[in-house]
Amino acid sequence: MTGVRLTKRGLLVIIVLYFTFFIWYCVFPVCVLRHVAGSSAETYLMVNASFNFTIAITLLLTSFFIHRCNKIRIIYESSIATSIVTFPLLFVSSIILNLIIIFVAGIFFSIGLLAFFTYFWSLTVSEERGRAAGLVGSFSLPIFYIVSLMAETFDFYGIVMLGVIFSLGPLVIKLLRPEKKAMLTTKKDEKEYNPEKRIILLYAVPWALFSLINATLAKNISLYVLQSIPFSYYIFLSVFQLVAAVFGALGGGIIADFVGRRLSLVFSLTLYGISSALVGLVKNYEMLCFVYVANGLNWGILSALYLLVVWGDLTSKESCAKRYSIGLIIFYLATGLGNLSTHQISQIPLITSSLVSCLLIFLSNIPLISAPELLSSDFRERIKLKLYMNVVRKIRRKLLQNQG
């Protein structure tokens, strides 16, 4: 049981697509570009930043026409094109040609990625989107982590083959016969819904701040932690963080559907701000364990809600691609800027990185507090009433058992 009207087949299709797209992104900019750039760290960071900027620009351009196209067909075609473009990396030795191939593959990847997010929107309704996103994240993250670790052990040809295989991953859903149209036809008022730009901005600012901190100051903090503890303990913390991210995605989605988007987002950002401050102020293993668990919960909640849910709540059928592109563009631009500023950020002391991260994260809560709740108030009232009636039934059942 998924707890939502989204069918198990539909859920499986979304999980496969989500996993294959993001594992491809993990393999290419991290592993393939590292091999192509060689031993020069500056070259790698520059090329990685350019790769992320290319994805952001492609997403922006694609958002203007993709709503007119069949999303499943685009996913299939972009998958095949990415694989065809990637394969020559096995035979080309020129660094310039390798970079051109990688950037072209990134363009096709971006088109398919945006098609996937709009397809996810077509299969879900606002009242169930949080739980659907949580289930997708909780199933995908563990496999994503395992494959990422495997990719680190491969040589260049092995990594390229892995990229080719996962670029073809979306074709697997053809066996599941995915729906070409929305399964849920009860999208109440979503076709006419057109939120004010102010509301979009209020939700976009916290995501932009978090993405920028995650790509800059948070990486600096992680580097300090890695240098100050045994590597075996760092792996232990990373596994704990992964487990927390799984529970964060699942729990955050449930809270977002039953209580509201804002509460889940504010809780996540506040927890992240507190943990960021503590890692700089309190230096012991127990506190590091708490920090990594908190960060895992935080990343699980924010990735589920800000990638899959929030933009879907702020859209209609015509503007779906444009809204989802906002969240994705912010993420890739922040990642690119983080790579460009790696050297400068690494000069900042740990305590400064921690406290500045904490301050900016708490400031990011201000727009959320001012923003309207995206989940329907009528739906929240129905949920409260349903929970109340369940409690009453349980009490009545116990009373009858005691009387018997």
Side-chain angles (χ1 to χ4, degrees):
M1 293 293 292
T2 63
V4 296
R5 283 174 285 172
L6 177 63
T7 65
K8 292 180 180 179
R9 185 179 65 180
L11 178 63
L12 184 58
V13 166
I14 293 171
I15 289 173
V16 170
L17 291 175
Y18 184 87
F19 167 71
T20 53
F21 275 114
F22 279 96
I23 198 63
W24 188 93
Y25 173 74
C26 174
V27 167
F28 260 70
V30 176
C31 300
V32 174
L33 284 178
R34 185 184 299 160
H35 281 274
V36 172
S39 58
S40 174
E42 290 186 3
T43 302
Y44 165 71
L45 292 172
M46 183 72 70
V47 171
N48 199 325
S50 301
F51 182 77
N52 282 280
F53 291 151
T54 300
I55 291 176
I57 294 170
T58 305
L59 288 167
L60 177 62
L61 297 176
T62 304
S63 67
F64 287 98
F65 68 82
I66 200 172
H67 64 279
R68 302 188 185 97
C69 308
N70 182 299
K71 306 306 181 296
I72 290 296
R73 183 179 298 171
I74 289 181
I75 290 172
Y76 289 155
E77 291 174 353
S78 66
S79 171
I80 295 171
T82 304
S83 177
I84 292 173
V85 170
T86 303
F87 195 73
L89 286 173
L90 296 170
F91 312 103
V92 175
S93 57
S94 168
I95 294 178
I96 300 299
L97 287 177
N98 278 334
L99 289 177
I100 292 173
I101 289 170
I102 292 169
F103 276 66
V104 172
I107 291 172
F108 287 118
F109 157 81
S110 307
I111 296 171
L113 181 67
L114 190 55
F116 157 67
F117 278 97
T118 55
Y119 180 66
F120 170 83
W121 179 85
S122 74
L123 296 186
T124 56
V125 291
S126 179
E127 292 82 0
E128 300 174 347
R129 199 167 285 133
R131 279 167 289 168
L135 286 167
V136 170
S138 61
F139 279 113
S140 303
L141 284 172
I143 310 172
F144 178 84
Y145 181 75
I146 293 170
V147 175
S148 299
L149 288 179
M150 290 173 55
E152 294 286 345
T153 65
F154 292 172
D155 61 10
F156 178 71
Y157 295 102
I159 293 170
V160 171
M161 285 306 301
L162 191 66
V164 171
I165 291 169
F166 279 106
S167 64
L168 291 173
L171 297 181
V172 174
I173 67 171
K174 198 171 183 65
L175 301 174
L176 300 171
R177 291 178 297 175
E179 293 77 3
K180 294 183 180 179
K181 297 181 180 179
M183 291 184 296
L184 302 175
T185 57
T186 58
K187 289 179 172 288
K188 183 180 179 181
D189 298 329
E190 285 190 339
K191 183 173 285 189
E192 294 79 20
Y193 182 54
N194 188 24
E196 300 176 21
K197 293 181 179 179
R198 177 185 67 88
I199 298 175
I200 297 173
L201 185 63
L202 290 173
Y203 277 95
V205 168
W207 176 238
L209 282 173
F210 170 78
S211 298
L212 194 58
I213 292 169
N214 187 63
T216 54
L217 296 173
K219 286 171 65 176
N220 193 36
I221 293 171
S222 295
L223 181 61
Y224 275 110
V225 171
L226 179 59
Q227 293 173 344
S228 62
I229 62 174
F231 184 72
S232 58
Y233 190 68
Y234 184 80
I235 295 296
F236 168 77
L237 290 176
S238 300
V239 173
F240 249 53
Q241 188 177 46
L242 171 68
V243 174
V246 170
F247 283 101
L250 194 57
I254 294 172
I255 294 172
D257 274 354
F258 290 163
V259 182
R261 314 310 194 207
R262 286 194 309 166
L263 179 62
S264 189
L265 292 173
V266 168
F267 167 78
S268 178
L269 290 171
T270 302
L271 184 63
Y272 183 73
I274 294 172
S275 65
S276 296
L278 288 176
V279 74
L281 296 173
V282 183
K283 300 177 182 178
N284 57 56
Y285 284 5
E286 291 78 12
M287 187 54 64
L288 280 179
C289 190
F290 167 77
V291 167
Y292 269 72
V293 169
N295 285 350
L297 286 170
N298 164 266
W299 181 244
I301 295 171
L302 289 182
S303 62
L305 296 190
Y306 259 121
L307 290 178
L308 292 165
V309 179
V310 169
W311 309 112
D313 290 347
L314 288 169
T315 191
S316 63
K317 183 177 181 181
E318 289 73 22
S319 62
C320 181
K322 291 182 180 180
R323 296 290 185 267
Y324 272 110
S325 70
I326 292 174
L328 293 169
I329 289 170
I330 288 173
F331 173 79
Y332 288 111
L333 283 180
T335 304
L337 290 172
N339 282 299
L340 287 180
S341 60
T342 295
H343 178 69
Q344 292 79 3
I345 295 295
S346 64
Q347 307 302 313
I348 301 176
L350 173 61
I351 184 67
T352 305
S353 295
S354 300
L355 294 180
V356 172
S357 296
C358 178
L359 175 62
L360 292 176
I361 285 296
F362 276 112
L363 288 176
S364 71
N365 270 326
I366 296 175
L368 281 177
I369 294 171
S370 307
E373 172 56 51
L374 300 178
L375 191 63
S376 165
S377 58
D378 292 340
F379 177 75
R380 281 179 284 153
E381 291 300 322
R382 292 200 303 271
I383 287 293
K384 291 178 182 178
L385 180 61
K386 186 176 180 180
L387 292 174
Y388 173 76
M389 294 302 297
N390 287 338
V391 172
V392 171
R393 289 193 192 97
K394 288 181 180 179
I395 295 174
R396 183 172 178 275
R397 195 178 299 117
K398 287 184 179 180
L399 289 174
L400 291 174
Q401 288 175 353
N402 291 336
Q403 290 176 0

